[in-house]
Structure formats: structure tokens, C-alpha cells
Amino acid sequence: MKKISILAIILIFTLSLFACSKGNNNGTGGKSTSNADTIVIGLASDWKTMDPARAYEVYANFYFYATYENLYMLEGSELSPKPALAKEYTVDKSGLVYTFKLADGHKFSSGNPVTANDVVFSFNRTMNIKDNASALTKGIAKVEAKDDKTVVVTLTEKDASFLSKITSNAFAVVDSKVVKEKGGTDAVDASTSDKATSYLDGASAGSGPYVLKKWTRNTEMVLEKNPNYKGTINASNIIIKEMPDPNTEIQALEKGEIDVALSIGPDQVKSIKAGGKAKVVSSPTSTISFLLMNNNPNIGKEMANPLVHQAVRYALDYKGFQQLAGDGALLPLSFVQKGFVGAKSRPDNYQNIAKAKELMKQAGYENGFTVPLTAANFNSEGLSWTTIAEKVKEDLAKINIKVEIKTGEIGAVIEDYRNGKSPFLVMHWSPDYFDLSNQLAFVPGDIVGKRANWSPSENPELVKLAEQVKVEIDETKRAEISGKMQDIMAENSPYAFLVQHPKTFAVSSKLEGVAYNDLCKLHLNDLKLSK
């Protein structure tokens, strides 16, 4: 009896150890440092939806590049479009008609083959849903499937940025059969009749390397290998954990609980020692932080005055923002980041407190005023928006503007921003595609212009230049137009562009295949843990 009892105890103990080991390697029960088939990423995302026809957030393509494919996409750290679902394209003499030939062998995670009809459905669905992502489809007249392997896109006017645009999630190709079954439609009334978003928020319908198994907003995302993916996948499982605190990310990385600490800043990387369990990765980005001053007097009040806009810009200490953002930070003159055609830098001597005070006097606010400044509980490449707001408060106090910082959850802050309800706020902008045309969102009457309640009639010259730069193919002429627009907006706009951020993050010393891309952040299927 004693022998049987002892053997039973040993057997139970052994099975318990096996169960614990298995539980720590299933992608949900914790991180095992010996499990090279699961990669865990810590970040602070801004995800609102997983529907490619609706998503328009900075981290959108981080997810969509993992689960969907486009006709053309970005590879590695390169920002030039490369063939993906399409193997080639041609443009007719008018510059309006693009013909794409699809590559063979691509399948959705359902097993359905990718066809031209799926491309047409996806483009039309984004166009007709008329959500934020639909802005990128403006200028498309029609999309047609000539046969199963040929897609023809006709534009309303020449668009120098079209190929760059279609690398973004607005043009991710969905499995039309699956999406239709789940209530999706590409009909002209899709803005009211499409019901597929709730499904797509919990399951992907693409042909990318991974499939979405679970997404709990602000908590966790679990991705699993797509068995039908045509390309190479290194890790079978990806777990993405929401970690708003960058210090928590670093601690988790050093403990081996995560393999990537993506949303950290310059302060956190200082603690990482060479030769340890973690290594630092640095890269330039096109993410810019800016202040928006609402141009509607009923909302912005004193901040709606153009003279106040100018005073704010001259009062800010841009070198100070550059130091906060860390090594590699840049100071663009206005709305065009360094790296885009014709980009200008802000002069070192731009800050001028005396001039700012004079402008305040001309505006009738020599004694200043009090204004609320909204800063979400979020960060731009590791730099907290509240830290940015505190610096703004310090700078504007010198011209008698008393700033009262108001914080809020990122989703709520973005909602008010998109609806043009924010009087004064800290915001950031990361390109949806890498072309100067992307930045035209800041022009009066365009996406961000509307959010600032900035009417085209208030600066018709800027609107006219924007129309020219959209269709101008010659890079020299485009650069000239770009320069004129930057000069105008630096002196006459409801914005103050603060800093262009570098990207600095940390990964496990065992992680391979790390190439940062400004659009999709990391290509998850390229990541690999050495054993």
C-alpha cells in the first residue's frame, strides 16, 4: 500500500509539472523563455477597431500587416511599395487607369483563393462605408475585375501618391465571401447597411501570415499562424499585451515575460546595459507631435484668434521638445516631416518671446487668459503626452497664457478631436502612406483642417497649392510647392508642430529579424527567437 501511495504521489506530481509547463507555452498562460514558437510584445496601442475599412489609428497597420495583404505593401524598413497580392501594374497614358495583375497562390485563412472580385469588394467597401479610412479612397472613380486575376482602378485625377496610398490598411483585401456572410457589403449604402465590423473586431478575414484569435480592447491580442499563408512565418503565435506604462514594459522584458518593449522612450532605454538580456533598437520615424488650436471661436475662444496662434508658435521652446524626444529627434518647420519632398527644418532662433508678447498685445490679450489643454494618457514613441503638455504649460506661461492640463483616455480624446470639439490639445500624426500628399490632411477643409474648424476660405492660396502638389509628378516642382506651403503654414495656421520623433525601443537579445518600419512598426512574421 505504501509503495502504491508513493508511486501515485510521484505520478500526480509529474503530471502537475507537465500541465504547468504546457500551460505556460499555450500563448495565454504566461511567457516561457524556452518557447521559441511564441513571441510576446508589450506596447501601448491606440486601436479602436480591427476592421480595415474603418481603422485609421497610428498602430492600425501593425495589426493589418500581420493579418491581411494588399496589392502592394512595404517590406523590411523600406518605405517604397513592393508587389504583394499583385505581381505587377501598368498605368495608361492618361495617368488615370492602373491595371494590376494578381500573383498566383494567395489564399485567405478560410482557404478561399484571393481573386480580383475580392479586391473590388474590399476597395468599394472602404469607399462606401465612409469611415475615417475612406479618406484614402478619395479620387477613385471606379474599381473593376476584368477577370479573376486582373483589377483595373480608374482615378478621377492624377495622383502622384496612389501607389503609396494602397499600402495602407484602407486597401487591405478581405475575403469577400466570409465578410458577406457576416453582414458585410460594398454597396453604396454600406455606411448604414454594413454589419461586419463586430465580426472583424474578433476574427480576421485576410490572407496575411497570422489570424486573429482574440482581441480584448486595452488588454491583449492573440494571433496564430495562418496555415494558408503563402510566405514564411517564423513564430507560430504572437501575443500582444497592452502596457501603458513604459517602465512596466522594461521590467517585463528584463524578466523574460515579453520579447519586445515597443512603447518605451529615451528615459527607459538608458537603464539597458550592453550585453544583458535586452538590446536597444533605434530608427527614424515620421511621427510628429503637434498642438491643435480650434479655429471656431465658440469652441476655441481665445485660442481661435490667428494672432494667438502665431504667439503660441513663437513662445515655444522647440529645442526643449527635441531634448524630451531623445537622440535623433528632428524639428520640421511645419507640417512636412523630414524625409518627405521639400521638407524644411525650423530655424534654431525661431523662438522669440518678445515677438510672442507683442502678438498677444495686438490680439488684445496682453494680460493673458486661461485655457484648458487636453492631453490623453498616451505617448508618442515613448514620450508621454502629459509631459509634452507640461512643457507647453511652462513655455506659454512666459506670455501670460495660463494652461490647465486636462487628461483623458485616448479613445475619448480622439473622438472629440475627430469631431472638432477640442479647443486646445496635444495630438500626434503618423503617415497612413509615405508621400507628401498624406500631409495635406492639415490643409484647410481637409481631415485635420476640419478637426481644427479651419475653413478653405480662410487660406485659399494654401488650398490651391495643395491641389497642385497632389498631381505634380516632377519632384523638383513638387519640392518647390512643398516649400511654399510649409512657409505659409508656419506663420498662418491653427497648429504648432513641436517635434518629429525618433523610435527607440528594446527587444530580447535573442530576438532576430527586427527591422522597424514606420508604417507597420514590425513585420511580425519576420521575428524569430534564437534557441
Side-chain angles (χ1 to χ4, degrees):
M1 288 294 293
K2 287 182 180 179
K3 287 182 179 179
I4 293 174
S5 298
I6 291 170
L7 287 171
I9 291 169
I10 291 172
L11 179 59
I12 291 169
F13 181 71
T14 303
L15 289 172
S16 298
L17 287 175
F18 176 77
C20 289
S21 174
K22 188 174 181 180
N24 282 335
N25 286 275
N26 65 3
T28 59
K31 171 67 179 173
S32 169
T33 54
S34 62
N35 184 9
D37 209 33
T38 297
I39 291 173
V40 183
I41 298 169
L43 55 71
S45 79
D46 56 352
W47 290 320
K48 293 175 69 67
T49 177
M50 298 295 116
D51 186 338
R54 298 186 185 276
Y56 204 59
E57 289 70 46
V58 170
Y59 273 89
N61 284 292
F62 180 70
Y63 165 77
F64 291 109
Y65 263 55
T67 50
Y68 293 83
E69 291 181 290
N70 298 29
L71 292 175
Y72 273 67
M73 301 176 77
L74 305 184
E75 296 178 358
S77 59
E78 292 294 317
L79 298 178
S80 298
K82 307 292 183 191
L85 288 177
K87 62 181 179 180
E88 62 185 13
Y89 79 97
T90 57
V91 187
D92 75 341
K93 293 180 179 180
S94 72
L96 300 177
V97 182
Y98 286 71
T99 301
F100 296 91
K101 290 289 185 179
L102 299 188
D104 295 327
H106 289 271
K107 292 183 179 181
F108 293 108
S109 56
S110 65
N112 294 328
V114 178
T115 70
N117 286 325
D118 294 303
V119 179
V120 172
F121 175 86
S122 301
F123 277 43
N124 284 335
R125 180 170 179 266
T126 297
M127 290 168 63
N128 293 325
I129 274 182
K130 296 180 173 62
D131 209 325
N132 287 296
S134 303
L136 298 182
T137 67
K138 184 180 179 182
I140 295 179
K142 60 181 178 179
V143 189
E144 304 168 283
K146 290 298 185 184
D147 54 52
D148 278 354
K149 293 292 184 181
T150 308
V151 179
V152 179
V153 181
T154 304
L155 306 181
T156 57
E157 62 180 359
K158 289 183 180 179
D159 184 353
S161 63
F162 180 64
L163 204 63
S164 292
K165 282 181 179 176
I166 64 171
T167 64
S168 187
N169 65 266
F171 300 94
V173 177
V174 303
D175 188 333
S176 61
K177 292 181 181 178
V178 170
V179 174
K180 286 177 182 177
E181 288 173 0
K182 300 301 179 180
T185 178
D186 66 343
V188 292
D189 65 346
S191 61
T192 55
S193 62
D194 185 276
K195 307 299 180 186
T197 298
S198 58
Y199 170 76
L200 293 171
D201 280 346
S204 53
S207 58
Y210 294 97
V211 294
L212 176 63
K213 299 304 294 183
K214 182 180 74 170
W215 175 47
T216 304
R217 192 188 301 267
N218 300 324
T219 303
E220 184 180 72
M221 175 184 287
V222 178
L223 304 176
E224 290 184 1
K225 182 178 181 178
N226 175 7
N228 291 309
Y229 180 60
K230 184 180 179 181
T232 301
I233 304 173
N234 289 317
S236 295
N237 306 289
I238 302 287
I239 301 173
I240 301 168
K241 294 182 177 293
E242 293 283 354
M243 294 183 171
D245 179 18
N247 292 306
T248 301
E249 285 189 42
I250 285 291
Q251 292 169 9
L253 180 64
E254 291 176 339
K255 290 178 182 178
E257 296 172 351
I258 64 175
D259 303 298
V260 181
L262 194 57
S263 300
I264 63 173
D267 290 339
Q268 288 74 40
V269 297
K270 292 175 184 176
S271 66
I272 297 175
K273 297 178 181 179
K277 294 182 179 180
K279 58 185 178 182
V280 178
V281 180
S282 296
S283 174
T285 80
S286 296
T287 299
I288 49 175
S289 286
F290 66 97
L291 299 177
L292 181 145
M293 297 167 273
N294 203 302
N295 221 40
N296 183 340
N298 294 324
I299 300 172
K301 298 182 180 178
E302 297 92 346
M303 296 306 295
N305 190 314
L307 292 172
V308 173
H309 299 164
Q310 285 185 288
V312 167
R313 283 190 289 271
Y314 279 110
L316 295 170
D317 169 25
Y318 298 95
K319 287 291 184 182
F321 288 106
Q322 189 176 34
Q323 290 172 1
L324 286 176
D327 293 343
L330 302 170
L331 297 176
L333 176 61
S334 58
F335 75 116
V336 179
Q337 305 98 314
K338 298 295 289 183
F340 284 13
V341 63
K344 292 185 174 184
S345 296
R346 190 176 295 280
D348 289 341
N349 62 348
Y350 190 91
Q351 186 188 28
N352 189 328
I353 299 298
K355 187 170 184 177
K357 286 182 176 179
E358 178 58 31
L359 288 163
M360 287 287 285
K361 184 177 180 180
Q362 291 177 33
Y365 301 121
E366 185 176 8
N367 296 323
F369 53 83
T370 300
V371 61
L373 173 62
T374 303
N377 298 315
F378 198 67
N379 70 75
S380 294
E381 307 300 359
L383 178 58
S384 164
W385 288 8
T386 54
T387 299
I388 294 174
E390 286 164 359
K391 174 63 176 166
V392 172
K393 178 178 180 178
E394 176 187 323
D395 290 351
L396 297 191
K398 296 174 183 176
I399 59 171
N400 297 322
I401 296 179
K402 183 181 179 182
V403 170
E404 295 180 344
I405 299 172
K406 295 185 179 298
T407 59
E409 189 269 325
I410 181 65
V413 171
I414 285 181
E415 194 69 22
D416 282 348
Y417 158 64
R418 286 177 173 172
N419 291 326
K421 295 180 179 179
S422 301
F424 188 31
L425 84 157
V426 175
M427 188 47 63
H428 71 178
W429 178 267
S430 183
D432 301 292
Y433 58 95
F434 288 84
D435 184 88
L436 174 61
S437 294
N438 180 89
Q439 298 308 106
L440 300 181
F442 288 95
V443 169
D446 214 306
I447 299 169
V448 185
K450 288 179 180 178
R451 294 169 184 176
N453 288 299
W454 194 20
S455 169
S457 63
E458 296 179 75
N459 202 318
E461 182 184 2
L462 198 54
V463 174
K464 183 179 179 181
L465 290 170
E467 292 303 315
Q468 292 175 9
V469 87
K470 286 178 185 177
V471 299
E472 182 55 67
I473 304 297
D474 186 284
E475 285 293 290
T476 301
K477 292 180 181 178
R478 271 194 121 202
E480 184 180 347
I481 300 169
S482 172
K484 289 179 181 178
M485 295 180 72
Q486 291 169 73
D487 289 338
I488 292 171
M489 202 172 285
E491 293 299 310
N492 183 8
S493 74
Y495 317 112
F497 295 93
L498 305 176
V499 67
Q500 181 174 338
H501 296 265
K503 180 63 180 179
T504 302
F505 60 105
V507 302
S508 165
S509 57
K510 294 183 178 181
L511 192 67
E512 301 172 358
V514 182
Y516 187 78
N517 185 288
D518 211 8
L519 179 69
C520 64
K521 314 311 177 190
L522 298 173
H523 295 274
L524 299 184
N525 55 307
D526 289 341
L527 301 181
K528 181 180 180 181
L529 282 171
S530 59
K531 296 181 180 179

